[in-house]
Structure formats: structure tokens, C-alpha cells
Amino acid sequence: MNLSNTFSRLFGRFANYEFFSPFQKFINTTYVKIFKIDLSEFAPASSYPSLNALFTRSLVAKRPVNANPIVLISPCDSLITQLGKSSDKNALQIKGMEYSIEELLGQKLDRELYYINFYLSPKDYHRYHAPCDLEIYEVRYFGGELLPVNLPSLRKNQSLFVRNERVVVVAKTPNNKWVYFVAVGALNVGSMVMHFEPKIKTNAGLHNTNYVYLTPISMKKGQELGMFQMGSTIVLFMEQMIADVNMNDQVKFAQDIGTYA
């Protein structure tokens, strides 16, 4: 097993452990101070029984979602690190460094795709949501490394997203266009969770696997798809997309980011 995977698994066990209350409160408040986490939309740090419970905190109140069906919303709180249209079936993980989308998704493509990279830092809300109404046809799990996905690591490691563990959600939009929602693992990510498919177990030494749904799973825009148990990256690929965000924009879940028709 790769050292980063082993370390991430051990860190996951630590983060899941519930220490006695005074010490757990100290851990939580220290983490909040170090990473300057804004908890104004969440329960107080002292209320979480483990560090992982703090990582995976849910919103206290729902954020409003644009009702216009063609409007895309950000699936998470994150930094936009790259966006654009693929070229020769390649996308950028960062300026000057391409990777194969076909390798990432595990399939051949017959067209170019638009994409946006969303980087979730340790301070961010770690749950991710449907960016538009979706019909999910398949989910694919790819085992791999758990290298960091921060900017220094993106500049250093070629094809980082392809090398790392990831979960690919294969879906269609209401206008029958393909969309691929890719959750990429990273160092210290104890696991990635997909609520609609509990059989997926990440960072568990499992072989690549996929689940195909003869009856597609319907997800409404803004509905929670799952969560990272620490920060990581989402890459969204779509057949159609007109983005209304730019590189280095900080976005919030439910914020309008463009249209897809």
C-alpha cells in the first residue's frame, strides 16, 4: 500500500475517534483557529464529537438554489483552480500540465468536454451537491494514490487526478447531455462518501469497480451527493457549459456558476 494511503487511513481513524469531551473541544477549537474556519452557518465547534464530525459538518440552514433549470450551481465551497474546454481529450490540472480525460473517467470519448476544477481546502464545507438536475446511470470507483491536491502538488505531479483515488459519477442533464462528476481523493482524506451508493468504500485497498443502474437515480439540483472526510477536489465535466466564473474565484455551494443549455 502506498505510504500516503496508509497515512491517510491512520489519520482517518484519528479523526473519527471521539476523545473525552474537554480534549475533543480543544482539538476542534484549535483546528478552527488554525484554518480560520467560518462557522457562522454551522453548529459551534464544541458540539462535534470528533474531528471528522467537524470536517463533515452540515449546514444549519439551507442555502437558496436558483430554480431556473438551465442554471448551474457550484457543487461545493471551493477555489476554482482551472476551467475551460478540453483539447484532444485532455484537460488542465493546472496551467501547462495536461492529463487524459479518458484515463480519468475510464472510458473513450467521442467529443470534447467543458470542465471546472473545484479545490476544497481544509477550512471548507466538505459536502458536495448536484450542480443541476441529474439522472445517474453509473458510478465508477478507481483505486489509486492519495497525493495532496493543493497548488504546489498540482505543479509538481503529472496527471495527479488520474493517479489519485477517485469516484466518477456518470449522469445526464434534463436535456439529455452527459455530465461527469469526479470526486478526487487526496492526502488525509479518510474516505469519500456517495450517499446514493453505500457499497463504495474508498481508501480500503479495493480493486476498481463500477455500479450500473438500469433505472437511473434521480437527483435534484442542490441535493447532497456525498462528502469528503477532509478537503479534496471535484472536477465537473459537461457536454454543454457556459461558465460564469473565473480561475481563482472562491465559490460557495449553491452559488450560480453558469448555464448548460
Side-chain angles (χ1 to χ4, degrees):
M1 176 63 71
N2 184 281
L3 183 60
S4 63
N5 296 64
T6 302
F7 182 82
S8 297
R9 190 178 297 173
L10 292 173
F11 183 82
R13 290 177 184 172
F14 165 78
N16 276 308
Y17 190 83
E18 297 184 9
F19 294 94
F20 67 97
S21 184
F23 186 53
Q24 189 65 59
K25 289 179 180 178
F26 171 77
I27 292 173
N28 293 354
T29 54
T30 300
Y31 182 83
V32 168
K33 288 178 182 178
I34 289 174
F35 290 103
K36 299 178 181 179
I37 298 173
D38 180 4
L39 289 177
S40 59
E41 294 181 282
F42 307 92
S46 59
S47 67
Y48 298 101
S50 69
L51 192 55
N52 187 51
L54 174 61
F55 292 158
T56 59
R57 61 193 178 274
S58 59
L59 291 161
V60 172
K62 289 185 177 181
R63 293 177 185 169
V65 171
N66 193 319
N68 187 331
I70 70 167
V71 170
L72 289 169
I73 61 169
S74 174
C76 53
D77 290 8
S78 57
L79 175 71
I80 304 293
T81 57
Q82 195 57 250
L83 77 166
K85 187 178 182 180
S86 65
S87 176
D88 296 326
K89 313 299 191 322
N90 291 328
L92 292 173
Q93 69 180 34
I94 203 162
K95 186 177 180 180
M97 294 186 75
E98 292 185 333
Y99 64 91
S100 167
I101 300 173
E102 292 183 333
E103 285 187 58
L104 183 80
L105 301 181
Q107 72 170 71
K108 292 292 184 181
L109 297 170
D110 61 1
R111 69 196 68 201
E112 302 295 341
L113 298 174
Y114 297 90
Y115 65 93
I116 302 180
N117 299 355
F118 302 87
Y119 168 65
L120 291 78
S121 75
K123 71 177 181 179
D124 286 320
Y125 168 63
H126 292 86
R127 297 180 180 234
Y128 38 83
H129 303 251
C132 59
D133 289 349
L134 297 174
E135 293 287 317
I136 298 173
Y137 286 82
E138 185 177 351
V139 60
R140 303 168 183 156
Y141 166 73
F142 297 90
E145 300 178 69
L146 287 173
L147 298 170
V149 291
N150 54 27
L151 291 177
S153 185
L154 289 173
R155 295 187 184 102
K156 176 183 176 183
N157 295 293
Q158 188 69 42
S159 296
L160 177 56
F161 297 157
V162 176
R163 292 168 60 183
N164 269 15
E165 181 180 50
R166 61 201 182 278
V167 178
V168 178
V169 178
V170 182
K172 280 190 173 183
T173 62
N175 64 342
N176 207 38
K177 299 296 183 181
W178 289 108
V179 53
Y180 303 90
F181 184 101
V182 185
V184 182
L187 184 69
N188 289 342
V189 177
S191 67
M192 293 177 284
V193 174
M194 289 291 174
H195 296 319
F196 63 89
E197 185 47 82
K199 291 192 290 291
I200 290 178
K201 304 293 182 185
T202 63
N203 196 15
L206 301 178
H207 298 293
N208 297 350
T209 188
N210 68 301
Y211 303 96
V212 178
Y213 308 108
L214 298 179
T215 301
I217 299 172
S218 296
M219 304 289 287
K220 289 294 186 183
K221 180 164 61 175
Q223 189 172 344
E224 190 177 311
L225 289 173
M227 59 187 173
F228 289 117
Q229 298 191 345
M230 194 60 173
S232 195
T233 289
I234 296 289
V235 188
L236 179 67
F237 296 95
M238 302 188 73
E239 282 192 59
Q240 293 181 335
M241 181 197 302
I242 301 174
D244 194 25
V245 287
N246 300 296
M247 280 180 55
N248 301 317
D249 281 357
Q250 196 79 42
V251 295
K252 293 281 192 180
F253 156 60
Q255 176 181 331
D256 295 354
I257 59 170
T259 57
Y260 67 86

